[in-house]
Amino acid sequence: MASPRLETFCCPNRDAATEFVVSFQPVLFGALSGGSAALSFIFAFIQILPKRKGYRRLGPYPLPKPASSSRILFIISVCDLLGCTGIIVRSSVWLGLPNIIESISVANSTDAWPEVFCVGTSMWIQLFFSASFWWTFFYAVDVFLVVKTSAGISTIVLYHMITWGLAVLLCVEGVTMLYYPSISDCEKGLQHAIPHYATTYAPMLLVLIANSVFFNRTISAVTSLLKGRQGIYTENERRLATEIKIRFFKIMLVFFVCWIPNIINEILLFFLEMQTDINDDSFRNIRNTALIMWFIMGILNPMQAFLNTLAFHGWTGFDIDFSLQRRRELAWDSMSTSVPNSAGHNPMVATAVLYQSHVQEVKNRVGNGQHHSDAISVLSEGNGVRNGSDSYRSPIYQGL
């Protein structure tokens, strides 16, 4: 799981609230979090592998390159997988070498490896889950810009610079303040711990608040674009808008379910930390709730990797294609071009329409210079498509 409490636990002179949750049934907690991370890693990895059946090129046009939004979704999955890797490694070591937890609690210990391992794995987990938060935020920004203006594929470079820069900067800054003046003798006091907790929860809260706003505004813009195609709002347009709404809802639902327990748990632990005696009987319900949230976090945090792929693409199946040559021939099912709007429409957009019935319609509009399909198509990536025989084609990343 990704919690600043685990980084605080690396300090021998940790606060009482952190000691309370981390030291409660550590073997059971390690087994649950490690098992959840392992399952999430396996199924998420299967999800993003190319699949063998159900893909074909729509029309004679050249295959589009991956759009910025489809790349962002893939990067989010990679960050989640790397975060799960850190959880698996940490849980495995803690379960296989239980003495390492006791060694961390020894002040002025001559053996620095337990603390180094604790800090290293905690920073690894925080870095990649924090990067996942930032990429999720920029996904909402990207789809909004594509619909409202003309965000091109080159913006992915800017997203990389901002996302990784902020993730590394905030992680290093928070850990530096927490472990001052040294890991074995951390400075006590909220003035050193609060910056670390703020750098952890700031991107999380940003996604919860800002993404909801961006998604709502994008949906409103999409509805206007769909109505502007022919001045009418047909069943196909209504169905497309509904699927886009559902897709955004699933993304936010996964994020909410996986990370709201962290915020609730942190509020409860912060309240206990402010008390002189957290073992007072009057705080029993708060302690029990904090422990329940702690174990829920251990299960749900790593499950984001798998749940995100379900929200992005749905279940893609086990029919994995290991042929490299075939993967080059298959189209990206990103359903997106994410290119600047222009008067001269590229025929490639025929491959980017959500429904097969739209293909001929878009072809007919090529000569008219309509450009709304470029903006709409980026929002359709990852949704299921039904071909002429009405057989479902599971979405998946292709060509990677």
Side-chain angles (χ1 to χ4, degrees), residues 49-192:
L49 289 175
K51 300 303 186 292
R52 181 178 294 109
K53 63 182 180 180
Y55 290 91
R56 62 183 179 86
R57 184 179 301 187
L58 297 178
Y61 307 114
L63 298 178
K65 293 182 179 180
S68 58
S69 293
S70 62
R71 292 186 180 184
I72 291 174
L73 295 182
F74 179 75
I75 293 171
I76 292 174
S77 295
V78 171
C79 290
D80 290 339
L81 289 174
L82 291 173
C84 286
T85 302
I87 295 176
I88 294 171
V89 172
R90 182 182 63 193
S91 298
S92 300
V93 172
W94 283 12
L95 291 174
L97 301 173
N99 292 333
I100 195 172
I101 300 178
E102 300 176 1
S103 300
I104 296 173
S105 303
V106 178
N108 300 321
S109 175
T110 56
D111 188 5
W113 285 111
E115 294 174 353
V116 172
F117 174 80
C118 181
V119 174
T121 54
S122 298
M123 289 186 64
W124 176 279
I125 296 169
Q126 181 190 347
L127 174 64
F128 285 106
F129 276 116
S130 178
S132 176
F133 299 158
W134 287 112
W135 278 113
T136 303
F137 168 72
F138 279 111
Y139 172 75
V141 172
D142 185 75
V143 295
F144 176 76
L145 292 178
V146 168
V147 173
K148 295 294 291 185
T149 57
S150 58
I153 192 68
S154 61
T155 55
I156 195 71
V157 178
L158 179 62
Y159 296 154
H160 271 291
M161 296 173 61
I162 298 177
T163 299
W164 293 111
L166 286 174
V168 173
L169 178 64
L170 293 179
C171 181
V172 172
E173 186 273 338
V175 170
T176 301
M177 291 293 295
L178 179 66
Y179 296 137
Y180 176 85
S182 67
I183 300 177
S184 59
D185 187 22
C186 304
E187 185 74 21
K188 288 187 177 181
L190 291 177
Q191 67 273 19
H192 294 279

Side-chain angles (χ1 to χ4, degrees), residues 240-259:
L240 176 58
T242 300
E243 291 206 5
I244 292 172
K245 292 179 183 178
I246 293 175
R247 184 161 188 247
F248 287 164
F249 173 77
K250 290 190 294 185
I251 293 174
M252 292 305 302
L253 178 63
V254 168
F255 195 90
F256 186 90
V257 169
C258 290
W259 298 105

Side-chain angles (χ1 to χ4, degrees), residues 335-349:
M335 298 301 171
S336 172
T337 52
S338 188
V339 295
N341 295 333
S342 59
H345 200 292
N346 193 320
M348 188 188 308
V349 298

Side-chain angles (χ1 to χ4, degrees), residues 180-258:
Y180 176 85
S182 67
I183 300 177
S184 59
D185 187 22
C186 304
E187 185 74 21
K188 288 187 177 181
L190 291 177
Q191 67 273 19
H192 294 279
I194 286 180
H196 173 60
Y197 290 84
T199 56
T200 301
Y201 288 105
M204 185 187 303
L205 294 174
L206 178 67
V207 173
L208 288 172
I209 298 173
N211 278 36
S212 300
V213 176
F214 277 116
F215 284 155
N216 285 331
R217 296 193 61 181
T218 301
I219 292 171
S220 299
V222 166
T223 303
S224 300
L225 287 177
L226 291 173
K227 290 180 179 178
R229 282 180 167 182
Q230 290 181 328
I232 57 176
Y233 198 48
T234 66
E235 180 62 27
N236 283 341
E237 274 77 13
R238 185 177 294 106
R239 182 170 52 177
L240 176 58
T242 300
E243 291 206 5
I244 292 172
K245 292 179 183 178
I246 293 175
R247 184 161 188 247
F248 287 164
F249 173 77
K250 290 190 294 185
I251 293 174
M252 292 305 302
L253 178 63
V254 168
F255 195 90
F256 186 90
V257 169
C258 290

